[in-house]
Amino acid sequence: MDKRCILILLILTVLIVAISGCIDDNAGPITSANQTIIKTSAVTPAVGFPVPEPLTVYVEIKGSMFNPLELKIVNGTTVKWTNADSVSYIVNVDDVQSPVLNKRNSWNHTFNKTGIFEYNSSNHPAMPHGRIIVEN
């Protein structure tokens, strides 16, 4: 090997040793101009049981229509009606009535039993009725 190659190898070795001595095991990410190195450690996952998150589905009221008109949901799901129309609505479902929903107002109802539930707007009787099918 010529002296120039030996000198380059020596400089690279010194740089590698110098850089490796500067790394703190408790430090965060190490960054350079071209890359970010993120140190990670192995984590043992905790043993547990899955907890289902509550589910919410949405119905928009616009143009004197419910959209969608029919929903299939699972027991425990919340349905949220939102008025996107300029007139007010009152939603009736499962023997429950919403307050008056003016533009941008919302109301929700959680279905905790299975079955088929028709819903409508009591202050717009000619408006097509919606249907919610609740399954297990």
Side-chain angles (χ1 to χ4, degrees):
M1 254 193 217
D2 75 9
K3 290 181 182 181
R4 198 180 301 176
C5 289
I6 293 173
L7 182 61
I8 291 172
L9 285 174
L10 181 60
I11 291 171
L12 287 174
T13 304
V14 169
L15 284 174
I16 291 172
V17 169
I19 291 172
S20 66
C22 293
I23 296 175
D24 180 4
D25 287 340
N26 297 320
I30 302 167
T31 60
S32 70
N34 296 327
Q35 64 183 6
T36 298
I37 301 170
I38 299 174
K39 295 190 289 183
T40 61
S41 61
V43 176
T44 305
V47 177
F49 300 96
V51 177
E53 292 185 29
L55 181 65
T56 301
V57 295
Y58 301 90
V59 175
E60 181 182 61
I61 307 168
K62 189 171 184 178
S64 295
M65 293 289 296
F66 294 110
N67 184 29
L69 238 129
E70 185 173 290
L71 289 171
K72 282 189 178 182
I73 61 173
V74 295
N75 198 1
T77 299
T78 298
V79 176
K80 184 173 188 175
W81 287 266
T82 300
N83 182 1
D85 218 341
S86 58
V87 297
S88 61
Y89 294 91
I90 299 171
V91 177
N92 297 301
V93 64
D94 193 21
D95 297 326
V96 180
Q97 188 176 67
S98 75
V100 174
L101 301 177
N102 295 313
K103 187 170 187 170
R104 294 188 204 96
N105 289 148
S106 296
W107 176 73
N108 57 45
H109 179 71
T110 302
F111 291 84
N112 291 314
K113 57 184 176 182
T114 58
I116 298 174
F117 302 90
E118 300 283 332
Y119 66 90
N120 61 22
S121 175
S122 62
N123 57 337
H124 298 279
M127 187 173 164
H129 294 195
R131 177 182 299 173
I132 298 176
I133 302 165
V134 183
E135 302 172 336
N136 275 332

